[in-house]
């Protein structure tokens, strides 16, 4: 990265409302014609007290997701206002899910059950129609996908593969997807859903 912004911690993690203004400021810099920006928004990973201090844990979590959604909305509005939207690839995903008592788990990192490993992946590419893809993919595929969309080759050591064929409405051969928890639990998820 050519520019890294590290903010002082206000809570255990940086919140989207504190991080996003720095990206929006950077987007206003007219000196760059091509850019790659990365935000790791940390509102939702526990302790679930950044948006709402009372109520059931899952409701507080949903409030945090709503706060992140608002910030993403501000990002999209800014991209449109600055006439960057039609040349912007936007990827939204998560590095893990969250458990609220399923399988006797709370928070994340302790298992490879679906509530922790099945996460959203939204890829918006200008000029490509929206579609829902049901194929099993992996976070390992993000790097090769972004490189492919930028017209660049994926280096040999990458384990993932480009998802651009899926974005274009084609298919990819099925394959297992590896998953691992913070506690060392490992699994392969096979195309038929078996783990």
């Amino acid at each position: 990265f050519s520019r890294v912004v590290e903010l002082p911690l206000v809570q255990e993690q940086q919140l989207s409302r504190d991080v996003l203004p720095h990206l929006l400021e950077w987007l206003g810099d007219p000196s760059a014609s091509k850019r790659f920006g990365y935000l790791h928004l940390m509102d939702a990973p526990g302790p679930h007290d950044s948006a709402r201090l009372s109520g059931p844990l899952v409701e507080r979590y949903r409030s945090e997701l709503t706060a992140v959604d608002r910030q993403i909305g501000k990002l999209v509005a800014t991209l449109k206002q600055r006439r960057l939207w039609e040349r912007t690839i936007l990827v939204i995903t998560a590095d893990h899910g969250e458990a609220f008592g399923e399988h006797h788990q709370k928070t994340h990192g302790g298992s490879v059950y679906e509530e922790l490993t099945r996460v959203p992946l939204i890829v918006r590419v200008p000029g490509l129609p929206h579609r829902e893809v049901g194929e099993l993919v992996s976070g390992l595929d993000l790097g090769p996908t972004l490189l492919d969309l930028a017209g660049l080759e994926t280096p040999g050591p990458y384990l993932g593969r480009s998802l651009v064929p899926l974005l274009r409405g084609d298919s990819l051969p099925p394959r297992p997807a590896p998953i691992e928890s913070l506690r060392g639990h490992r699994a392969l998820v096979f195309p038929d859903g078996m783990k």
Side-chain angles (χ1 to χ4, degrees):
F1 294 100
S2 61
R3 180 179 175 197
V4 175
V5 175
E6 292 187 29
L7 304 173
L9 285 177
V10 177
Q11 296 181 351
E12 285 186 31
Q13 64 268 356
Q14 288 300 333
L15 302 179
S16 58
R17 67 174 182 254
D18 301 323
V19 175
L20 187 69
H22 295 277
L23 178 68
L24 299 182
E25 175 190 331
W26 174 68
L27 288 173
D29 178 3
S31 65
S33 62
K34 293 184 179 181
R35 306 166 198 237
F36 175 83
Y38 169 81
L39 287 178
H40 192 147
L41 304 178
M42 297 293 293
D43 299 59
H48 308 304
D49 60 1
S50 65
R52 186 172 157 188
L53 295 176
S54 63
L57 194 61
V58 71
E59 291 303 320
R60 295 190 340 238
Y61 176 71
R62 286 184 183 137
S63 294
E64 292 167 333
L65 295 179
T66 299
V68 170
D69 186 60
R70 267 195 300 277
Q71 296 304 316
I72 292 171
K74 287 181 184 179
L75 172 61
V76 170
T78 300
L79 290 166
K80 288 179 178 179
Q81 175 191 8
R82 295 185 181 163
R83 296 188 171 101
L84 298 170
W85 183 243
E86 288 310 316
R87 56 189 186 132
T88 296
I89 296 166
L90 180 66
V91 177
I92 300 171
T93 192
D95 56 345
H96 57 76
E98 199 75 3
F100 295 96
E102 304 91 345
H103 301 100
H104 308 289
Q105 299 283 317
K106 291 192 177 176
T107 72
H108 56 271
S111 75
V112 291
Y113 288 114
E114 294 295 292
E115 60 271 10
L116 299 182
T117 61
R118 188 178 177 116
V119 297
L121 172 60
I122 301 168
V123 181
R124 185 262 181 195
V125 180
L128 291 181
H130 69 277
R131 64 177 39 86
E132 187 173 327
V133 175
E135 280 89 343
L136 177 66
V137 299
S138 169
L140 294 172
D141 300 326
L142 289 176
T145 301
L146 291 171
L147 289 168
D148 192 3
L149 288 169
L152 301 170
E153 293 288 322
T154 298
Y158 273 65
L159 296 176
R161 63 180 174 179
S162 174
L163 302 176
V164 169
L166 294 177
L167 298 175
R168 292 188 177 137
D170 298 325
S171 61
L172 286 171
R175 55 142 196 199
I179 53 176
E180 183 174 9
S181 77
L182 289 175
R183 294 190 187 139
H185 299 112
R186 295 180 179 146
L188 280 176
V189 181
F190 292 91
D192 62 2
M194 292 298 291
K195 190 181 296 177

